[in-house]
C-alpha cells in the first residue's frame, strides 16, 4: 500500500513540474508542429526547411512525411547528399525490425562526392550505408549502432548525434534479449538531450521507448505528458504517451492520447487524399483496450464498427506487415470478447476461417523472423493467421461448454508446444504453450477439476513471467496470472487468488479484471481493507462505465454491507 501511495505522490509531483516546464516554452516553439531540431549541414539555404522537417518527422516515426520532405530537398538540389541519407533512414523502421531494403539501398547508391562535406555528415552517411550492407537485419543494426557510438564518443554534445545513437541502441534490442543495459543507456542519453532541449521530438520519444515497462515507466512520465505538445502534427507523437500511461494504469490519459492519435491520423489521410490503410489502426486497437478497462463497452464496440468498415472499404495492405487489417481486427475483436466476457460474440466477430496474425499489438514479437532484407516473413505470418480466432474460440468453449475446446487445443499442440526454452522470451512456443494451458485449465475448472486447472495455470504463469511485461495491451489477450486468480477464486482458495491478482496488477497496473478479481478475493478471505481499496479503485475507474453493468453495483453492495457492520 505504501509503495502505491508513494507512486501516486511521485506522479503528482512530476505532473506539476511538467506544467511548469510547459509554461516556459517560447512563442517560436509553439509555431513548430514537429518539435525543435537543430541540424547544421552543407546543404543550400533552400533545402533547409525540407531537411529539418524530414529529420523532425523521422524522430516521430512519421516515415511517410519524412520521405516526402527529403525527396523534396533532393529534387531542389540533387547534390544534397544528406537528403539521400534522410531518404534511406525513412525506409528503416528500427524498433520494429522492419526495412524496405531495396528502396533504401537505392537511396544509399545516390550518395557520392562526400569529400567536401563535414566530418559529421560523412559519419552519418557512412553509418546509414551499414544499415543497407551485408548480413541479416540484426547484424546490420548492430554495425550501424557501432558507427553511431563512435560518432557519439567524438561529439557527445551534438544533440542529433546523441538522439540517433540512442535510437540505434534501441534498434538492436530483440524480445529474446536478457537484461536492460541498452535500454537504460538509450534512456540516459535521451534524458540528457531532453534536458538540453525540452522540445526535441526524438528525446521525448526515445525516453518513452526506453522506459516502457511498469518498473521504469515513472521515469518517462514527464516526457509522456509533453511529447504530444512537442510534435502535435505527428499522430505517433500523440499515441506514444499512452505507452507510459498504460504501464502506470492511467486510463483517462491513455484514452485521450489514443483518441487524439486516431483523429490526427484520420485528418492527415483525408487532407492529403491518402489510402485509409495509412490511418493509425494501432491506436484504434489500443483505444478499444483502454475503453474496456473503463467499462465503456459501447464505445469499444463502436471502434469495432470503424475497423469493420475500413476492411470492407479498402483492400490495400502494408507490404511490411502482411494481413495488417486482419491482424488489427483479430486483436481488437479478441480483446473485446475477453475483456467483456461476452463469449457468445465469438462466432460473430471471429468466425471459423477468419485470419489474423499473432500478437500484432506487440511490434517486436511479430518481427523476430525477418529475413535479410528486413521484411516480415510472410511464411510465419500465414502460419499464425488463425492463432487469435482459434484461441478465443477455444477459451470461449472451455468457459461455456461449447464444442471448440478440443479442436483449439489440438491446434496449439501442433504449433510447437514444449520447446519453450528455445529462442528466448520471444520464442513463439512460449505463447503457444500459454494459450494451450489457458484453454486446458479453463476446461478443467469448468468440469470441477480445480487441482489440475491450478497446476496447469501455474505453468502458464511461469512462462509468461519469462516473457516480461507487455508494451501495451497484452498480446496473450488473457494474462495468465489473472486467469489463475479467477480459477483459484472459483476453487475456494481466495488468499492464493489474491496473490495471483496482485501479481497481475504489478505486471499490468489497474487492469479492470484483475482489480475486480483482487477485490473479490480479498473480500472472500476476510481482508476487508484490501477489498475496500481495490473496490474503490475499480469504482473510480468505472465511474463513466456503461449503465447496467453488474460490477459497479457489486462494488456499491460491498460498501453498503461493510458500512452496516
Amino acid at each position: 500500500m505504501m509503495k502505491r501511495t508513494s507512486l501516486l505522490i511521485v506522479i503528482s509531483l512530476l505532473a506539476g513540474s511538467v506544467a511548469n516546464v510547459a509554461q516556459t516554452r517560447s512563442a517560436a516553439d509553439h509555431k513548430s508542429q514537429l518539435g525543435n531540431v537543430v541540424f547544421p549541414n552543407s546543404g543550400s539555404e533552400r533545402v533547409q526547411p525540407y531537411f529539418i522537417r524530414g529529420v523532425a518527422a523521422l524522430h516521430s516515426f512519421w516515415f511517410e512525411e519524412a520521405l516526402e520532405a527529403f525527396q523534396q530537398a533532393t529534387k531542389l538540389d540533387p547534390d544534397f547528399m544528406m537528403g539521400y541519407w534522410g531518404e534511406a533512414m525513412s525506409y528503416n523502421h528500427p524498433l520494429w525490425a522492419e526495412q524496405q531494403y531495396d528502396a533504401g539501398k537505392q537511396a544509399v547508391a545516390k550518395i557520392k562526392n562526400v569529400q567536401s562535406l563535414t566530418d559529421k555528415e560523412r559519419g552519418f552517411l557512412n553509418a546509414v550505408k551499414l544499415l543497407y550492407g551485408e548480413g541479416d537485419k540484426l547484424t546490420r543494426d548492430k554495425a550501424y549502432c557501432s558507427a553511431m557510438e563512435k560518432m557519439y564518443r567524438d561529439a557527445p554534445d551534438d544533440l542529433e548525434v546523441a538522439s540517433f545513437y540512442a535510437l540505434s541502441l534501441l534498434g538492436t534490442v530483440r524480445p529474446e534479449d536478457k537484461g536492460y543495459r541498452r535500454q537504460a543507456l538509450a534512456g540516459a542519453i535521451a534524458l540528457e538531450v531532453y534536458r538540453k532541449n525540452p522540445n526535441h521530438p526524438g528525446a521525448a520519444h526515445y525516453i518513452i521507448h526506453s522506459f516502457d515497462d511498469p518498473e521504469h515507466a515513472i521515469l518517462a512520465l514527464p516526457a509522456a505528458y509533453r511529447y504530444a505538445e512537442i510534435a502535435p502534427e505527428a499522430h505517433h507523437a500523440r499515441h506514444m504517451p499512452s505507452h507510459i500511461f498504460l504501464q502506470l494504469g492511467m486510463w483517462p490519459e491513455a484514452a485521450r492520447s489514443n483518441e487524439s492519435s486516431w483523429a490526427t491520423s484520420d485528418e492527415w489521410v483525408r487532407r492529403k487524399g491518402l489510402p485509409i490503410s495509412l490511418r493509425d489502426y494501432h491506436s484504434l486497437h489500443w483505444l478499444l483496450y483502454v475503453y474496456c478497462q473503463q467499462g465503456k463497452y459501447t464505445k469499444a464496440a463502436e471502434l469495432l464498427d470503424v475497423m469493420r468498415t475500413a476492411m470492407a472499404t479498402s483492400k490495400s495492405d502494408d507490404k511490411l506487415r502482411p494481413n495488417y487489417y486482419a491482424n488489427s481486427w483479430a486483436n481488437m475483436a479478441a480483446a473485446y470478447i475477453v475483456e467483456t466476457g461476452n463469449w457468445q460474440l465469438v462466432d460473430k466477430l471471429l468466425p471459423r476461417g477468419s485470419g489474423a496474425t499473432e500478437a500484432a499489438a506487440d511490434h517486436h514479437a511479430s518481427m523476430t523472423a525477418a529475413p535479410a532484407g528486413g521484411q516480415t516473413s510472410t511464411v510465419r505470418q500465414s502460419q499464425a493467421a488463425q492463432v487469435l480466432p482459434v484461441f478465443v474460440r477455444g477459451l470461449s468453449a472451455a468457459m461455456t461448454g461449447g464444442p471448440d475446446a478440443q479442436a483449439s487445443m489440438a491446434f496449439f499442440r501442433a504449433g510447437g508446444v514444449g520447446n519453450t526454452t528455445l529462442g528466448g522470451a520471444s520464442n513463439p512456443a512460449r505463447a503457444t504453450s500459454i494459450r494451450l494451458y489457458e484453454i486446458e485449465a479453463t476446461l478443467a475448472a469448468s468440469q470441477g477439476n480445480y487441482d489440475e486447472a491450478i497446476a496447469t495455470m501455474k505453468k502458464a504463469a511461469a512462462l509468461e513471467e519469462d516473457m516480461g511485461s507487455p508494451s501495451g495491451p497484452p498480446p496473450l489477450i488473457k494474462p495468465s496470472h489473472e486467469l489463475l486468480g479467477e480459477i483459484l477464486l472459483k476453487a475456494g482458495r481466495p488468499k492464493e487468488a489474491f496473490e495471483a491478482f496482485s501479481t497481475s496488477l504489478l505486471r499490468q497496473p489497474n487492469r479492470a479484471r484483475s482489480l475486480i478479481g483482487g477485490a473479490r478475493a480479498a473480500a472472500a478471505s476476510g481482508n476487508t481493507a484490501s477489498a475496500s481499496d481495490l473496490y474503490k479503485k475499480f469504482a473510480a475507474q468505472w465511474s463513466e462505465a456503461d449503465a447496467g453493468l453488474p460490477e459497479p453495483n457489486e462494488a456499491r453492495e460491498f460498501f453498503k454491507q461493510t458500512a452496516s457492520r
Side-chain angles (χ1 to χ4, degrees):
M1 182 65 184
M2 286 288 292
K3 183 176 180 181
R4 294 184 179 277
T5 302
S6 299
L7 179 62
L8 291 174
I9 292 172
V10 172
I11 291 174
S12 177
L13 291 172
L14 284 170
S17 67
V18 167
N20 291 334
V21 172
Q23 291 173 2
T24 66
R25 296 181 69 191
S26 68
D29 289 331
H30 280 292
K31 294 177 182 178
S32 172
Q33 295 295 296
L34 288 175
N36 179 265
V37 169
V38 178
F39 197 143
N41 59 82
S42 300
S44 62
E45 185 175 346
R46 60 180 177 167
V47 304
Q48 295 306 313
Y50 300 106
F51 179 73
I52 294 301
R53 177 175 174 79
V55 174
L58 271 184
H59 282 310
S60 288
F61 292 177
W62 201 6
F63 299 111
E64 299 89 354
E65 287 290 304
L67 179 61
E68 180 180 313
F70 290 126
Q71 288 179 335
Q72 286 177 322
T74 54
K75 183 177 180 180
L76 285 172
D77 183 358
D79 293 325
F80 180 42
M81 295 300 112
M82 287 302 292
Y84 300 122
W85 165 85
E87 182 179 343
M89 292 289 287
S90 302
Y91 292 124
N92 186 62
H93 306 167
L95 300 195
W96 309 322
E98 296 174 351
Q99 191 179 64
Q100 292 176 257
Y101 183 81
D102 292 338
K105 190 81 169 177
Q106 291 173 13
V108 166
K110 299 173 187 175
I111 297 173
K112 52 190 176 182
N113 301 327
V114 298
Q115 291 79 10
S116 62
L117 304 182
T118 65
D119 289 343
K120 184 177 80 171
E121 288 173 307
R122 285 196 295 271
F124 274 115
L125 294 169
N126 289 332
V128 77
K129 290 178 181 178
L130 296 173
L131 274 176
Y132 297 95
E134 300 300 321
D136 62 17
K137 183 66 167 66
L138 181 57
T139 298
R140 300 196 306 275
D141 284 339
K142 288 180 176 179
Y144 171 72
C145 183
S146 295
M148 291 309 304
E149 179 184 14
K150 182 180 184 304
M151 289 186 68
Y152 177 69
R153 287 179 175 175
D154 292 341
D157 295 326
D158 188 301
L159 300 191
E160 290 310 302
V161 170
S163 296
F164 281 109
Y165 174 45
L167 177 58
S168 75
L169 284 163
L170 296 173
T172 65
V173 175
R174 295 295 185 271
E176 63 268 24
D177 293 348
K178 299 292 185 181
Y180 190 72
R181 187 185 68 83
R182 280 169 290 170
Q183 294 96 316
L185 178 56
I189 293 168
L191 280 167
E192 181 63 8
V193 174
Y194 186 73
R195 184 185 70 81
K196 293 177 179 177
N197 180 4
N199 298 315
H200 193 287
H205 191 182
Y206 310 146
I207 288 169
I208 292 170
H209 276 297
S210 297
F211 302 126
D212 189 8
D213 65 85
E215 290 185 9
H216 300 95
I218 192 67
L219 299 173
L221 190 59
Y225 274 124
R226 291 210 54 239
Y227 186 25
E229 253 188 70
I230 292 169
E233 190 181 350
H235 56 83
H236 190 69
R238 292 173 179 259
H239 160 75
M240 276 306 302
S242 69
H243 279 245
I244 301 305
F245 299 146
L246 255 72
Q247 297 290 11
L248 298 175
M250 299 167 65
W251 304 117
E253 292 84 353
R256 288 193 291 271
S257 177
N258 286 291
E259 287 166 348
S260 174
S261 176
W262 170 254
T264 302
S265 77
D266 186 54
E267 189 279 329
W268 166 59
V269 164
R270 292 176 185 274
R271 173 169 46 87
K272 302 195 76 168
L274 299 171
I276 64 169
S277 60
L278 291 176
R279 294 190 300 185
D280 190 8
Y281 297 101
H282 178 67
S283 289
L284 199 71
H285 166 217
W286 282 49
L287 183 56
L288 177 142
Y289 176 76
V290 172
Y291 283 159
C292 286
Q293 303 314 306
Q294 298 176 298
K296 298 179 179 179
Y297 295 155
T298 300
K299 296 186 76 170
E302 290 171 357
L303 301 185
L304 284 175
D305 289 337
V306 171
M307 192 70 227
R308 184 185 290 110
T309 300
M311 294 171 70
T313 304
S314 173
K315 300 301 181 184
S316 59
D317 212 344
D318 188 328
K319 292 180 180 179
L320 288 179
R321 299 176 188 174
N323 303 317
Y324 182 51
Y325 278 137
N327 183 30
S328 298
W329 170 260
N331 275 280
M332 293 173 68
Y336 183 80
I337 293 166
V338 171
E339 298 299 328
T340 63
N342 201 345
W343 302 109
Q344 65 268 28
L345 288 176
V346 170
D347 287 337
K348 177 182 178 182
L349 299 182
L350 295 172
R352 289 170 180 78
S354 63
T357 54
E358 178 181 9
D362 184 344
H363 290 303
H364 294 300
S366 63
M367 296 303 160
T368 55
Q375 286 83 352
T376 309
S377 169
T378 55
V379 174
R380 176 178 172 183
Q381 294 278 8
S382 63
Q383 287 174 341
Q386 297 294 330
V387 168
L388 291 184
V390 171
F391 169 67
V392 177
R393 283 199 298 272
L395 192 63
S396 172
M399 291 275 186
T400 62
D404 285 326
Q406 294 297 335
S408 295
M409 289 189 292
F411 174 90
F412 288 113
R413 288 190 186 105
V417 175
N419 297 321
T420 56
T421 61
L422 301 177
S426 69
N427 180 13
R430 289 179 185 269
T432 299
S433 295
I434 291 169
R435 290 186 172 113
L436 171 63
Y437 292 153
E438 290 193 346
I439 298 172
E440 287 180 337
T442 300
L443 183 61
S446 70
Q447 296 171 344
N449 301 323
Y450 288 114
D451 289 343
E452 176 187 340
I454 291 165
T456 300
M457 279 311 303
K458 285 182 177 179
K459 291 192 293 184
L463 284 177
E464 186 177 345
E465 286 183 8
D466 267 349
M467 297 175 70
S469 299
S471 172
L476 291 170
I477 306 301
K478 184 64 173 177
S480 55
H481 293 88
E482 183 176 276
L483 183 55
L484 172 60
E486 291 169 355
I487 292 174
L488 284 163
L489 195 54
K490 290 179 181 177
R493 295 161 65 170
K495 289 185 178 180
E496 294 173 72
F498 180 74
E499 292 177 4
F501 287 123
S502 297
T503 300
S504 181
L505 288 168
L506 285 174
R507 292 174 58 81
Q508 292 159 93
N510 294 337
R511 255 190 68 85
R513 290 294 162 199
S514 292
L515 276 178
I516 194 74
R520 290 165 178 164
S525 60
N527 187 350
T528 305
S530 293
S532 178
D533 178 54
L534 290 170
Y535 272 126
K536 283 179 182 177
K537 287 182 178 179
F538 181 83
Q541 189 166 307
W542 277 39
S543 62
E544 298 179 1
D546 292 351
L549 294 176
E551 292 87 351
N553 187 59
E554 176 186 332
R556 286 190 291 270
E557 284 299 313
F558 170 83
F559 291 120
K560 185 186 297 184
Q561 291 176 13
T562 54
S564 64
R565 290 173 187 170

